[in-house]
Amino acid sequence: MAVLGRGVAKPEPDQRDSPWRDHRVSEPTVPLRHPAITERTENPDDPPADTANLVSLHESIAALLASRGQYRQAYQHLRSALDLMSEMSAPPQIPEQFRREVDRLRREHAEAHEQSIRDSLTASYNRRYLDQRLVDLVAEQGTANGLAVALVDLDWFKQVNDTFGHLVGDRVLQRVVELLQDGLPDGGFCARYGGEEFVLVLPGIDQNAAVEIAEAARGRVERYPWSSLVLGLRVTVSIGLAHEPAIRVADNTPAAPERQLREADALLYTAKQSGRNAVAYLLEGTAHLAGAAAGRRAIVTPRASAR
C-alpha cells in the first residue's frame, strides 16, 4: 500500500477483474463461472449457493466436452446452465459472450450432425440415415397413401470407371444424385445405398405417383448431356420400385423397411434383366415396366423376396 502522509495508506488499485472482462475464447473453451452469480452473493435475494454451483458445474462440463469435440453434449450442458439462470427469482443479465458461446456450440453440433448423416462424395444421405429414417417412417402411422422405396443402380458403371477414370466416375455419381433429387415429394430424400446404388424414399404418395416420380428421375438421367462432361459418355439407371399402402405401413413391424428394400432389389433385378434403363414395379402381384420400357416384350420375373 502507498503511504499518503502520516499514518494514512493509499489503497492499491483493485486488480481483480470479472472473469468475463476482456474474455477471449480460445475455442472450444467456455467460461467456468458466471460473473453475475458471483457478484450477487451478498444479496439476501440471491439464489441458493447450490444453484450457482450447479450452473458453474454445467459450464465446466461444457468446456471439457467441447474441447473433446462432443458438441452436442456440451451444448446441452450450456442450455442447462441458461435454464437454471432463467429460473432464478431475479435472473442475472446473461453476458453476450455467453450467448455467443451457446450459439457457436449449437451451430457446430448441427454441422457435425449433418456431416454424420451425409455421404462425403455425393452429399446425399448415407446408409445410417436411411436405415433410421425408414424405421421412423414406418412408426409414423399417419403416412398418407403409403410409402415407396426406389432402389436405383447406374447401368454399366464399371465401364464408366474403366473407360474414363474414377474422377469422371465420381463426377457422374454427384450429377446423378442431383438429377435424382429433383422433383421429390415433401419428406422425400435420396440416400447412397452403397457403391453406385442409391435409394429414393418417397413417403405419403400412392403407387401411381411413385411410378411417375421414378420414371421421371430415370428420364432425367437418360436425357442429361453427359457428353458435355466428357466426350462419348452416356449414363442410364435402372430402378426397382416397391410401394407399401398406408394401412400396411402402419401395421408393419420394425423389419418392414428391410423387407421393402428386398422387394425393391428384386424389382431392380427385373429392370436390369429386361434391358436396363427402366423402372420395374409390381401391379397386382405382376411385374411391370414403366414409361418407354413398357413396350418391351420380355419382362423377367422378380427374384423371390420375403413378404
Side-chain angles (χ1 to χ4, degrees):
M1 301 178 68
V3 178
L4 298 179
R6 190 173 300 174
V8 180
K10 177 182 178 180
E12 295 289 347
D14 188 355
Q15 298 299 323
R16 294 173 300 170
D17 267 338
S18 165
W20 289 90
R21 184 171 300 172
D22 296 328
H23 177 65
R24 294 176 174 83
V25 176
S26 177
E27 292 188 0
T29 59
V30 181
L32 300 183
R33 184 74 172 181
H34 197 291
I37 294 175
T38 58
E39 292 169 3
R40 286 163 46 89
T41 55
E42 297 181 358
N43 191 323
D45 295 327
D46 280 347
D50 287 347
T51 302
N53 290 335
L54 189 55
V55 170
S56 181
L57 178 61
H58 277 300
E59 294 174 0
S60 300
I61 294 174
L64 177 61
L65 292 171
S67 69
R68 296 176 176 176
Q70 297 172 265
Y71 299 116
R72 178 179 181 179
Q73 295 92 327
Y75 169 67
Q76 289 173 341
H77 279 282
L78 281 178
R79 287 301 313 173
S80 296
L82 283 176
D83 291 342
L84 285 170
M85 293 178 194
S86 66
E87 292 171 2
M88 296 176 183
S89 58
Q93 185 67 28
I94 301 174
E96 184 61 26
Q97 179 63 47
F98 192 87
R99 294 183 184 277
R100 287 199 299 268
E101 192 71 6
V102 172
D103 290 341
R104 181 183 68 81
L105 284 174
R106 182 170 57 234
R107 289 193 303 270
E108 290 180 353
H109 162 57
E111 292 170 2
H113 174 70
E114 188 68 14
Q115 290 174 3
S116 73
I117 61 176
R118 292 283 184 178
D119 174 60
S120 59
L121 175 64
T122 65
S124 62
Y125 288 106
N126 57 22
R127 181 69 179 271
R128 171 187 175 186
Y129 178 85
L130 171 67
D131 292 342
Q132 182 58 55
R133 186 63 185 134
L134 280 178
V135 171
D136 292 342
L137 286 171
V138 169
E140 295 169 6
Q141 298 185 9
T143 305
N145 297 320
L147 172 67
V149 171
L151 186 57
V152 183
D153 184 77
L154 276 69
D155 298 324
W156 310 113
F157 185 67
K158 184 178 184 302
Q159 293 184 8
V160 172
N161 281 329
D162 292 344
T163 303
F164 302 103
H166 288 276
L167 289 179
V168 171
D170 288 347
R171 293 176 65 186
V172 167
L173 292 176
Q174 292 166 345
R175 190 58 51 85
V176 165
V177 166
E178 293 174 1
L179 295 169
L180 293 177
Q181 291 180 145
D182 187 20
L184 293 181
D186 291 341
F189 64 91
C190 175
R192 191 174 185 180
Y193 195 61
E196 64 270 22
E197 287 188 326
F198 297 88
V199 173
L200 296 180
V201 177
L202 313 172
I205 61 175
D206 59 27
Q207 181 166 6
N208 289 336
V211 171
E212 291 178 2
I213 290 172
E215 174 62 16
R218 182 208 61 79
R220 282 194 300 273
V221 174
E222 180 186 26
R223 293 189 300 271
Y224 185 80
W226 294 105
S227 59
S228 64
L229 189 61
V230 59
L231 191 62
L233 177 63
R234 181 174 181 267
V235 178
T236 61
V237 297
S238 298
I239 302 176
L241 177 69
H243 181 269
E244 292 282 1
I247 186 170
R248 185 177 176 87
V249 171
D251 293 340
N252 265 325
T253 66
E258 182 180 349
R259 187 189 65 234
Q260 193 169 2
L261 282 169
R262 286 200 303 269
E263 181 179 311
D265 180 63
L267 287 163
L268 174 61
Y269 174 83
T270 294
K272 290 281 190 181
Q273 296 301 312
S274 301
R276 290 180 169 78
N277 190 22
V279 175
Y281 63 99
L282 286 180
L283 182 61
E284 296 180 354
T286 303
H288 292 264
L289 300 179
R296 296 177 186 167
R297 295 180 179 179
I299 298 180
V300 176
T301 302
R303 293 175 296 186
S305 60
R307 292 284 299 176

